Amino acid sequence: MDIKLRVEEIQKAFVLHLQGGMVLPVLSGVNLIVHAGECVALSGPSGIGKSTLLRILYANYKPDRGNVWVEHRGEWVNLLQAKPYRILEIRRSTIGYVSQFLRVIPRVPAIEIVMEPLRNLGYPPQECRLQAEAMLRRLNIPERLWTISPTLFSGGEQQRINISRSFICPFSILLLDEPTAALDDQNRKIVIELIQEAKTRGAAVVGVFHDREVKEAVSTRTFDIPKEKIS
């Protein structure tokens, strides 16, 4: 299988400036390879750094040491050395990220938020709208809410908007941080289907799944975050 993501010797600690400069070790010696068509479920107790690792893979956090290589448009790019414009380019076309919380500009309608990833790729406006409408229907977002800002939605509805905008594009890498945490059984099954479809088309998926049913349904293997802490 084609490799889409390589993680090499990642180390990360946080400095707590309001606690006298205390250093809080989080990740140490993380190595991971993810292939096209597989879903790797990050495993380990709460606080071991699963969400932190996902944020590093999305270049939201910069590790203290190590490399994160992604296959982008036929070439390998080290996210930790890439210029900001290159990271934005990679996020537009290669890496999708479903975080635990929806962060959007207030007053922007839900359908516009879901359409945005396709617009960034240059899709025609009508096609963007049609695909966004189809995704919103699939995830059971009522049409009356499409023109309303999702900042006014319930937690489950916000999460479905989060999922919609990441799965609407054929990203080759998907990072999922508890994507079904706020969802009911019906919508949880739909998200499982979306993840399975992404794997079938060759996406490399890395996720945190606290829901055992979801984890067992979508993951092809489990990756245990190393427990050794930074000395």
Side-chain angles (χ1 to χ4, degrees), residues 22-110:
M22 179 190 298
V23 176
L24 180 64
V26 181
L27 298 171
S28 180
V30 177
N31 293 279
L32 175 65
I33 292 177
V34 187
H35 296 84
E38 70 171 341
C39 176
V40 177
L42 302 182
S43 182
S46 178
I48 200 168
K50 299 184 293 294
S51 293
T52 296
L53 179 57
L54 286 184
R55 293 186 182 107
I56 289 172
L57 301 184
Y58 198 58
N60 274 349
Y61 286 171
K62 185 174 182 179
D64 303 314
R65 190 178 69 195
N67 298 296
V68 175
W69 295 91
V70 298
E71 195 276 330
H72 171 65
R73 295 179 177 174
E75 63 176 310
W76 284 99
V77 179
N78 189 342
L79 288 182
L80 306 187
Q81 297 177 0
K83 301 290 185 182
Y85 78 88
R86 195 76 187 281
I87 291 174
L88 290 175
E89 174 189 293
I90 289 169
R91 288 177 176 176
R92 288 191 184 105
S93 61
T94 298
I95 302 179
Y97 176 43
V98 177
S99 64
Q100 294 184 39
F101 307 101
L102 179 68
R103 295 179 176 87
V104 294
I105 300 172
R107 296 181 294 279
V108 177

Side-chain angles (χ1 to χ4, degrees), residues 137-148:
R137 288 193 185 97
R138 185 171 184 183
L139 282 160
N140 298 306
I141 299 295
E143 190 169 347
R144 68 177 185 279
L145 299 181
W146 294 359
T147 57
I148 299 174

Side-chain angles (χ1 to χ4, degrees), residues 9-25:
E9 294 296 328
I10 288 296
Q11 178 173 300
K12 177 65 178 177
F14 292 101
V15 179
L16 307 181
H17 297 287
L18 298 180
Q19 299 294 325
M22 179 190 298
V23 176
L24 180 64

